[in-house]
Amino acid sequence: MKNDYILEMKNITKDFPGVRALDNVNIKVKRGEIHALCGENGAGKSTLMKVLSGVIPDGGYDGEIFFDGELCAFKNIKQSERLGIGIIHQELALIQELSIAENIFLANEIVKRGVIAWDEANQRTQSLLRKVGLDETPGELIKDLSVGKQQLVEIAKALSKDIKLLILDEPTSSLNEEDSQNLLKLIVDLKEKQGVTSIIISHKLSELEQIGDSLTVLRDGKTVDYLDMKQEVVNEDRIIKSMVGREITNLYPKRNAKIGETLFEVKNWSAVHPLYDRKIVDNASFHVKAGEVVGFAGLMGAGRTEFLRSVFGKSYGRNAEGELYIKGKPVAIKNVEQAIKHGLAYATEDRKTYGLILISSIKNNVSLASLDKVLTRGILDEDKEVVDTEKQVKALKLKYSNINQDTLNLSGGNQQKVVLSKWMYSDPDILILDEPTRGIDVGAKYEIYTIINQLAEMGKAVIVISSEMPEVIGLSDRVYVMDKGRIKGQIGKESVSQEAIMKMILSKKVEVLENDELKTKAL
Amino acid sequence: MTNLKQKLFNNRLFRFLKENEKTALLGRLLKENIRQYGMFMALVIIMVFFYIMTNGVSVRPLNINNIILQNAHIIVLAVGMLFVIVTGNIDLSVGSVAAFVGAMAAIFMRRLGIPWQVATMMALGIGILAGMWNGFWIAFIKIPAFIVTLGGMLIFRGLTLLVLGGQTIGPLSGGFNRISSGFLPDIFSGNGTNLHLLTLLAGLIASVLVIYSTYAKRKNRRKYNFEVLPVWIAVLVTTLILIGINLFTFTLASHRGLPNVSIILFIVIIIYVFISKKTKIGRHMYAIGGNKHAAELSGVNTRKTLFLAYTNMGMLAAISGIIYAARLNAATPKAGELFELDAIGSVFIGGASMSGGIGTVLGAVIGALVMGVINNGMSLLGLGIDWQQVVKGLVLLMAVWFDIATKNKR
């Protein structure tokens, strides 16, 4: 008789130089269920999945893996794939310039007498796309698809290999609400209709709660909890408690900031896409006061990042025009250098591409935007630089061993702290934080929220862009809602809710500034 | 009594541990700079190898002189190339620019009768303009550096042929020739020794500077309460450096003294080590190579910085061309061929990364010296250009392999 469990990993231990990433981890996944795996960054989730999929080959770890009741020793990914284990990584592994069909059968081509049988490949691609709910044609290029659809193509690719166990690492981290729901529905469909078992790793606990059948929690490389979500009611608080090992009563800490006068105001701002003649920001106006946290809500592609980057020294798009006022005085800001001099800071949503120099040290990253502070008579004083930057990162409780270590090996939350340290060191009055908690765990999120509060309490103006509605709502004194490059309106703390935001996104009205008066006009 | 003993023991234990902590710092420094020290050690080993193989001929003053003269123009190029590569780019045009600059200098002197000092300055200006030309297309029009400088390689080679009419111009002015072939004047001559005293004095001045900078650095680190190396290690390292410097100047002093070109090299290296480590513009170049987007969003003016990197490269290519023409005492249409590849090779042997953001000036200099010493040593052993090329190619490959292997371990 076959085992009830499709997968059992027993006493998995994995050492990296200096750290034990996994310490006797046990995990059991039942056939035909959706198993949720959660834990803070650095808890060992990704390492565990690397062991399972053969990225870390047999011999590189201690412990046993039973798949379908049989002891397995994978030497590489191919071997685990052959048994039916498919893994979809957080960073999509699709080639942008190739078509959907070419991607799906990449390194797995259907070859007849030495020639690729494209007709059959396209046909099979078509039916796979149907299965994941896409009505694209197999010949379309990946780069023309939205991120949400690309994610579905990844799943189709996994399905092309007759998988029994699908592993999804943070599948929804870069998707908007609607695409996320589609994806989750698909995972449930695959389970119910085709009996595919899934392991899903996510920081979005509400999603795990929604679709998970059982759940394993890792902390510091150890299994700390196993919950059967059919047997007992499991809510987010319960999961958070075992993830961080303590209870976080209120994820959004209280703030005692005195809201002062208007620090920063943008009037009638417009900008054009860098490549196409399309307006990415259309006549947008907003203001933010000292000590105030203002949120920018909207769907993916609403133009929030584009808008604020264009305001921040015109670092995105072309033909940016509009008026900027700092403390009531009009200012002209042509480039990022001037923006920083005027007390602006912009912490990007994409740490790795736009925020950090990964091959460079913590010290050099933190000081980069404010090198003038460590110059004495035009010469860099590296000793002062060390003292200053260490003070800065210690204030944010960065976990690091040496200020000269590269930022590459820091965890997501700690990388984010380095980015924040950089901008706090430049001592700005106005901070723009773009998705400040993307891809980081609950504990680190809480710390980032605390930092945001401290900034507001210091009398700075904070602008937060976030696609996680609870975050925007929990943090902001006021929320601006953006859609298709326009500001649809604003909602005060008293009346803000997910429904109110969605309603505003969908509404046919837009808020514009005319003769210095805010007016709501029909689109 | 026992109490006192215990106390003494504890005290000693404490001091021992503290001492250990400091040697740990040494270990860390070694580990962090393994690439540079590794290449330096390789250079020393190569020199010892040729010393043995040539029965000491390789370290005779005349030969040391030759090594300096034969490689000065590549070292200067490698220093400039380091900055270009650190920004994540490349310059293939430097050999042609050097040739063009040499040709123009010759024309200024021989055809137009301009005094050599003025002609040299004008030639330098031409190099700067050539660098600005490359920089303009790369930084402002955003055409890939490979294309722009490949074009530049052809353009400046063509211009060289054009202005020289395919002919060699020479000999050049005596003063110009002495830039490379001259030696420091022996202002203390006639005092009864055969030694070149000014050269010895230069060695002593350099020694004092080394001692002072080591001391100042320790003092500054103390001021900020950083750990410093134990005194004995610092003294040992400094002593080794002092012995090296003075052995070098003593050897040369027993012949004709320091060649003029060594002074140029010394100044160029000092200035650019300083720029790379101690200035904002230097830091900005590393930032651009490390992550252009992040640098831009941190307020780095990437266009201006790139433009400067290429303008500077043009200037150093000009210095290189002048040194080369001065050594040959002629401008030839074939001058500067393959200089760019030697310079690029030196930079990579010196530990720079292809994708930018990593590399040091001293590494590039050591890289150039490694290649130069191998060339020279093989020539002394009677091995021709054929074997020299094979060995140089292998050295480049091995150096980068070593790089990747040590990086993976970390």
Side-chain angles (χ1 to χ4, degrees):
Chain A
M1 203 190 95
K2 268 201 171 175
N3 200 320
D4 183 29
Y5 293 106
I6 188 164
L7 173 75
E8 279 184 83
M9 297 176 79
K10 288 185 179 164
N11 301 323
I12 306 287
T13 298
K14 167 75 191 164
D15 286 313
F16 285 117
V19 280
R20 174 156 285 195
L22 297 174
D23 188 1
N24 276 310
V25 169
N26 289 291
I27 179 169
K28 287 177 173 182
V29 180
K30 283 188 194 129
R31 193 177 303 281
E33 71 164 2
I34 295 174
H35 188 87
L37 182 61
C38 47
E40 294 189 273
N41 285 335
K45 296 163 301 192
S46 298
T47 311
L48 187 66
M49 291 305 112
K50 279 182 187 161
V51 167
L52 174 57
S53 58
V55 174
I56 296 172
D58 177 50
Y61 59 91
D62 291 327
E64 293 170 323
I65 302 174
F66 292 91
F67 185 70
D68 250 351
E70 277 172 42
L71 182 62
C72 300
F74 301 125
K75 292 256 185 291
N76 51 45
I77 305 183
K78 274 265 169 205
Q79 291 187 358
S80 68
E81 269 180 0
R82 206 168 301 144
L83 283 187
I85 299 175
I87 182 158
I88 295 175
H89 294 282
Q90 196 172 352
E91 275 106 25
L92 296 180
L94 295 173
I95 296 168
Q96 297 287 322
E97 296 290 336
L98 293 183
S99 72
I100 298 179
E102 284 167 328
N103 265 290
I104 286 184
F105 289 101
L106 187 67
N108 194 25
E109 290 85 358
I110 308 168
V111 179
K112 298 257 164 79
R113 272 176 262 122
V115 181
I116 299 180
W118 281 119
D119 287 340
E120 191 185 334
N122 283 332
Q123 212 173 6
R124 276 177 57 187
T125 303
Q126 189 79 62
S127 71
L128 286 167
L129 290 179
R130 202 76 34 80
K131 264 189 206 166
V132 297
L134 279 176
D135 46 14
E136 263 64 22
T137 55
E140 268 181 70
L141 298 187
I142 294 297
K143 65 174 178 185
D144 297 331
L145 304 182
S146 68
V147 189
K149 286 181 176 173
Q150 290 185 15
Q151 187 72 262
L152 296 178
V153 171
E154 275 275 18
I155 293 180
K157 183 176 175 181
L159 291 180
S160 76
K161 293 168 187 162
D162 293 324
I163 50 159
K164 295 178 194 154
L165 177 65
L166 181 64
I167 302 161
L168 301 117
D169 191 355
E170 296 276 356
T172 60
S173 67
S174 51
L175 302 189
N176 63 30
E177 202 62 33
E178 195 188 335
D179 284 346
S180 299
Q181 284 305 321
N182 272 340
L183 184 83
L184 297 179
K185 205 173 134 269
L186 174 67
I187 297 169
V188 175
D189 268 4
L190 286 176
K191 172 182 86 166
E192 283 167 359
K193 292 184 186 149
Q194 300 175 33
V196 175
T197 312
S198 300
I199 296 179
I200 176 167
I201 301 175
S202 179
H203 285 306
K204 297 188 183 167
L205 302 181
S206 57
E207 292 175 354
L208 300 181
E209 199 186 320
Q210 181 188 340
I211 65 165
D213 297 313
S214 61
L215 177 142
T216 299
V217 180
L218 295 185
R219 186 170 74 227
D220 301 329
K222 298 189 182 90
T223 319
V224 291
D225 219 342
Y226 174 85
L227 302 168
D228 190 333
M229 297 166 89
K230 284 181 197 148
Q231 301 285 321
E232 53 181 317
V233 182
V234 175
N235 60 18
E236 277 187 48
D237 290 343
R238 173 75 185 78
I239 305 174
I240 292 174
K241 193 179 151 198
S242 41
M243 272 172 68
V244 299
R246 62 179 190 277
E247 238 164 311
I248 291 180
T249 42
N250 189 353
L251 193 50
Y252 304 98
K254 262 189 97 68
R255 176 165 71 231
N256 299 310
K258 263 230 290 283
I259 295 179
E261 54 195 74
T262 302
L263 260 187
F264 186 53
E265 186 161 17
V266 178
K267 288 183 186 170
N268 303 320
W269 196 268
S270 294
V272 180
H273 191 277
L275 298 177
Y276 313 112
D277 280 328
R278 173 163 62 79
K279 268 201 173 178
I280 42 166
V281 186
D282 192 358
N283 212 13
S285 307
F286 78 95
H287 71 273
V288 52
K289 293 174 178 156
E292 190 181 34
V293 178
V294 163
F296 270 78
L299 302 175
M300 280 273 176
R304 294 165 297 169
T305 297
E306 292 81 354
F307 175 30
L308 289 164
R309 269 188 63 181
S310 132
V311 165
F312 181 66
K314 308 196 174 174
S315 54
Y316 188 87
R318 293 176 295 139
N319 303 348
E321 51 182 13
E323 295 158 52
L324 300 179
Y325 295 85
I326 290 175
K327 291 175 188 155
K329 286 191 194 109
V331 288
I333 295 177
K334 287 198 208 84
N335 55 40
V336 175
E337 209 179 340
Q338 291 178 1
I340 294 171
K341 286 218 173 90
H342 276 105
L344 265 84
Y346 168 81
T348 166
E349 60 178 330
D350 188 343
R351 302 185 276 277
K352 289 187 177 164
T353 317
Y354 293 103
L356 289 174
I357 299 173
L358 294 169
I359 57 167
S360 187
S361 64
I362 299 172
K363 175 188 73 133
N364 288 10
N365 270 290
V366 173
S367 65
L368 184 60
S370 357
L371 282 177
D372 286 334
K373 292 195 173 172
V374 289
L375 290 183
T376 36
R377 278 172 264 120
I379 300 170
L380 288 182
D381 184 344
E382 283 192 272
D383 295 327
K384 179 171 193 293
E385 194 183 2
V386 170
V387 172
D388 280 13
T389 53
E390 283 209 306
K391 202 170 114 194
Q392 204 60 246
V393 296
K394 274 180 183 149
L396 297 197
K397 297 193 188 118
L398 182 81
K399 282 190 198 116
Y400 68 106
S401 57
N402 183 341
I403 196 84
N404 283 315
Q405 89 187 81
D406 290 349
T407 49
L408 183 67
N409 302 322
L410 297 174
S411 71
N414 280 319
Q415 286 182 342
Q416 185 66 5
K417 284 184 187 172
V418 174
V419 173
L420 288 177
S421 301
K422 167 165 82 179
W423 290 116
M424 287 173 71
Y425 186 47
S426 76
D427 196 20
D429 299 318
I430 304 132
L431 282 106
I432 304 165
L433 308 178
D434 196 349
E435 305 283 0
T437 66
R438 166 172 293 173
I440 67 180
D441 59 67
V442 184
K445 267 184 186 175
Y446 183 82
E447 288 183 65
I448 303 270
Y449 297 149
T450 313
I451 294 165
I452 291 174
N453 283 353
Q454 283 166 358
L455 289 169
E457 281 159 11
M458 284 156 71
K460 299 187 187 297
V462 184
I463 298 159
V464 176
I465 303 177
S466 175
S467 293
E468 283 183 47
M469 288 213 200
E471 185 171 280
V472 183
I473 294 166
L475 276 177
S476 314
D477 293 311
R478 214 146 41 83
V479 176
Y480 284 99
V481 177
M482 264 190 97
D483 188 47
K484 299 193 184 78
R486 298 187 185 91
I487 292 205
K488 296 296 272 291
Q490 50 177 304
I491 311 173
K493 197 182 186 116
E494 334 66 59
S495 45
V496 70
S497 67
Q498 300 210 19
E499 292 74 31
I501 291 173
M502 271 324 281
K503 224 168 114 189
M504 197 169 263
I505 289 173
L506 299 171
S507 85
K508 298 268 179 239
K509 287 180 191 145
V510 52
E511 191 178 83
V512 288
L513 201 61
E514 262 177 25
N515 304 325
D516 266 350
E517 260 180 75
L518 271 180
K519 283 183 185 156
T520 309
K521 290 177 60 173
L523 263 178
Chain B
M1 194 63 197
T2 46
N3 211 345
L4 188 67
K5 257 187 188 166
Q6 188 65 32
K7 231 178 180 172
L8 266 174
F9 176 76
N10 279 347
N11 215 340
R12 225 177 275 153
L13 184 73
F14 176 72
R15 279 208 331 245
F16 174 75
L17 287 176
K18 195 123 196 233
E19 203 62 18
N20 253 0
E21 242 169 55
K22 285 180 182 170
T23 31
L25 172 70
L26 180 71
R28 218 170 57 221
L29 281 175
L30 278 175
K31 217 170 158 188
E32 277 168 13
N33 297 307
I34 183 163
R35 190 64 178 74
Q36 247 184 62
Y37 296 139
M39 231 37 239
F40 185 70
M41 286 311 293
L43 179 62
V44 171
I45 290 168
I46 292 169
M47 284 172 84
V48 169
F49 174 78
F50 283 119
Y51 173 78
I52 296 168
M53 293 300 287
T54 60
N55 292 322
V57 173
S58 70
V59 295
R60 285 200 189 145
L62 182 65
N63 193 53
I64 298 278
N65 237 332
N66 278 341
I67 294 179
I68 297 172
L69 290 182
Q70 285 163 4
N71 295 291
H73 60 284
I74 296 296
I75 293 176
V76 171
L77 282 182
V79 169
M81 191 65 77
L82 182 269
F83 287 92
V84 167
I85 286 176
V86 154
T87 62
N89 289 286
I90 198 94
D91 193 340
L92 301 173
S93 72
V94 292
S96 298
V97 171
F100 182 57
V101 166
M104 288 310 286
I107 284 170
F108 291 149
M109 285 182 280
R110 287 291 302 266
R111 299 237 174 101
L112 305 178
I114 298 173
W116 71 270
Q117 297 91 335
V118 181
T120 307
M121 284 301 135
M122 286 165 72
L124 212 57
I126 289 175
I128 293 173
L129 286 176
M132 287 165 80
W133 164 265
N134 282 336
F136 167 75
W137 291 102
I138 295 163
F140 296 107
I141 312 293
K142 298 194 191 299
I143 296 177
F146 194 93
I147 312 271
V148 172
T149 60
L150 187 61
M153 182 176 169
L154 297 171
I155 293 169
F156 293 111
R157 178 63 58 192
L159 287 175
T160 309
L161 290 170
L162 213 63
V163 295
L164 289 178
Q167 306 283 312
T168 296
I169 299 183
L172 305 172
S173 131
F176 185 74
N177 178 231
R178 275 193 293 280
I179 293 176
S180 278
S181 63
F183 292 85
L184 280 192
D186 195 357
I187 48 173
F188 303 112
S189 64
N191 52 9
T193 78
N194 282 329
L195 289 173
H196 192 286
L197 289 179
L198 184 60
T199 298
L200 288 182
L201 185 67
L204 289 178
I205 292 173
S207 309
V208 171
L209 285 177
V210 167
I211 295 173
Y212 175 74
S213 82
T214 312
Y215 173 75
K217 210 171 181 180
R218 282 178 74 86
K219 203 175 130 194
N220 205 27
R221 284 183 72 87
R222 282 247 175 72
K223 191 176 98 191
Y224 285 108
N225 278 327
F226 293 156
E227 16 171 12
V228 287
L229 287 173
V231 177
W232 68 270
I233 293 182
V235 169
L236 185 73
V237 170
T238 315
T239 313
L240 282 176
I241 294 175
L242 295 188
I243 290 174
I245 291 175
N246 288 292
L247 205 60
F248 174 75
T249 50
F250 185 79
T251 311
L252 288 178
S254 67
H255 181 53
R256 294 178 63 184
L258 280 172
N260 287 336
V261 79
S262 67
I263 303 298
I264 300 179
L265 281 182
F266 182 73
I267 293 171
V268 164
I269 293 169
I270 293 285
I271 289 178
Y272 285 97
V273 165
F274 179 82
I275 289 178
S276 72
K277 289 199 186 302
K278 292 282 178 187
T279 65
K280 205 168 144 181
I281 187 80
R283 190 61 78 74
H284 281 181
M285 288 187 190
Y286 282 87
I288 290 176
N291 183 345
K292 195 171 169 221
H293 300 297
E296 228 157 39
L297 278 177
S298 301
V300 175
N301 189 335
T302 51
R303 280 184 290 185
K304 192 181 97 190
T305 311
L306 263 186
F307 183 72
L308 272 177
Y310 276 93
T311 305
N312 176 60
M313 180 77 256
M315 186 180 78
L316 288 172
I319 294 179
S320 167
I322 289 166
I323 291 175
Y324 191 70
R327 176 154 76 90
L328 294 188
N329 203 15
T332 78
K334 293 222 139 216
E337 274 183 355
L338 298 184
F339 280 13
E340 58 280 340
L341 296 188
D342 278 340
I344 293 167
S346 306
V347 171
F348 289 136
I349 290 179
S353 151
M354 282 274 328
S355 45
I358 293 173
T360 60
V361 171
L362 280 183
V365 171
I366 291 171
L369 281 176
V370 165
M371 296 238 258
V373 167
I374 290 176
N375 271 349
N376 173 272
M378 291 179 73
S379 298
L380 290 181
L381 292 175
L383 293 164
I385 188 99
D386 40 7
W387 278 108
Q388 290 179 23
Q389 301 242 0
V390 172
V391 172
K392 259 159 68 173
L394 287 174
V395 167
L396 176 63
L397 197 60
M398 291 302 121
V400 176
W401 179 42
F402 177 77
D403 216 12
I404 292 170
T406 48
K407 221 173 257 166
N408 282 350
K409 244 175 235 160
R410 261 186 289 164

